């Protein structure tokens, strides 16, 4: 069953619209988590950390599916047993309906999920895919044109691990750049030019003083 649908802008990862929620009582508490995971996937797509081709992301006993077209991502969450062919048809229908809207309208959206009108369209299309045994859906499953429908498979936990590694690498790079900027600053260069000679002279003076003290001790011991 199709349980969650999110439409998002690829350029910045902004969620534009969502369909009505379809979860049972047991999954009700997990719905917000699924939604956050979908938004996270959308962010990863906008960062080019995930492919723009048809992709299936496994998570628990569910799967996120998404396709991308004209800078827009069409994503849905389904039971892992839901037929891939129907998922593909569902997302394709959403994409076709979305193309009917002016692209400039999509570009002007600044608030998450503010494209409410398309949320109604998502609900209408989704109802056609609730029962996989209808004649229409059985025809889609048997269509020869859908024999080669394929999705790149990813695991959600691995995506999270890659994001963590990327974050740590970015932080390490930023810290290294900050240190380089400090040691390469003009102010530090002036301080070094001013105090380095003084430090060297002080060090040499300390060595000479220490040497003279040792010589005096030797004279006292041997009676010179």
């Amino acid at each position: 069953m199709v349980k969650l649908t999110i439409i998002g802008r690829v350029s910045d990862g902004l969620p534009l619209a969502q369909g009505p929620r379809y979860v049972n009582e047991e999954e009700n508490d997990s719905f917000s988590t699924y939604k956050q995971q979908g938004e996270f996937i959308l962010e990863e797509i906008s960062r080019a950390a995930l492919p723009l081709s048809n992709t299936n992301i496994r998570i628990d006993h569910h799967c996120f599916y998404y396709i991308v077209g004209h800078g827009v991502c069409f994503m849905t969450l389904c039971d892992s047993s839901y037929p891939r062919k129907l998922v593909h048809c569902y997302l394709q229908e959403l994409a076709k309906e979305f193309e009917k809207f002016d692209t400039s309208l999509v570009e002007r959206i600044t608030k998450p999920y503010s494209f409410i009108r398309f949320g109604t369209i998502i609900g209408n299309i989704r109802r056609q895919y609730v029962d996989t045994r209808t004649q229409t859906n059985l025809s889609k499953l048997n269509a020869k044109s859908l024999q080669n429908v394929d999705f790149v498979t990813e695991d959600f936990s691995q995506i999270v691990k890659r994001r963590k590694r990327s974050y740590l690498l970015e932080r390490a790079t930023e810290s290294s750049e900050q240190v380089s900027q400090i040691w390469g600053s003009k102010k530090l260069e002036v301080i070094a030019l001013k105090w380095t000679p003084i430090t060297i002279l002080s060090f040499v003076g300390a060595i000479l003083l220490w040497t003279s003290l040792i010589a005096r001790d030797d004279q006292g011991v041997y009676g010179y």
Side-chain angles (χ1 to χ4, degrees), residues 164-214:
K164 288 181 178 179
R165 287 197 297 267
S166 176
Y167 173 76
L168 293 174
L169 181 61
E170 289 174 1
R171 291 295 301 270
T173 303
E174 290 175 0
S175 299
S176 176
E177 289 177 351
Q178 290 176 357
V179 171
S180 298
Q181 290 173 0
I182 292 173
W183 287 101
S185 65
K186 289 292 183 182
K187 185 175 181 180
L188 189 62
E189 185 179 344
V190 171
I191 294 173
L193 290 173
K194 179 179 179 181
W195 289 101
T196 298
I198 296 175
T199 303
I200 293 174
L201 291 174
S202 300
F203 180 72
V204 172
I207 292 176
L208 292 175
L209 179 61
W210 178 66
T211 304
S212 63
L213 290 174
I214 292 176

Side-chain angles (χ1 to χ4, degrees), residues 37-63:
Q37 290 167 339
E39 292 169 349
F40 173 77
I41 292 170
L42 185 57
E43 290 178 2
E44 292 301 281
I45 296 171
S46 69
R47 294 177 59 248
L50 286 172
L52 296 178
S53 54
N54 297 355
T55 302
N56 160 37
I57 299 174
R58 297 173 300 189
I59 178 168
D60 301 328
H61 52 285
H62 291 86
C63 288

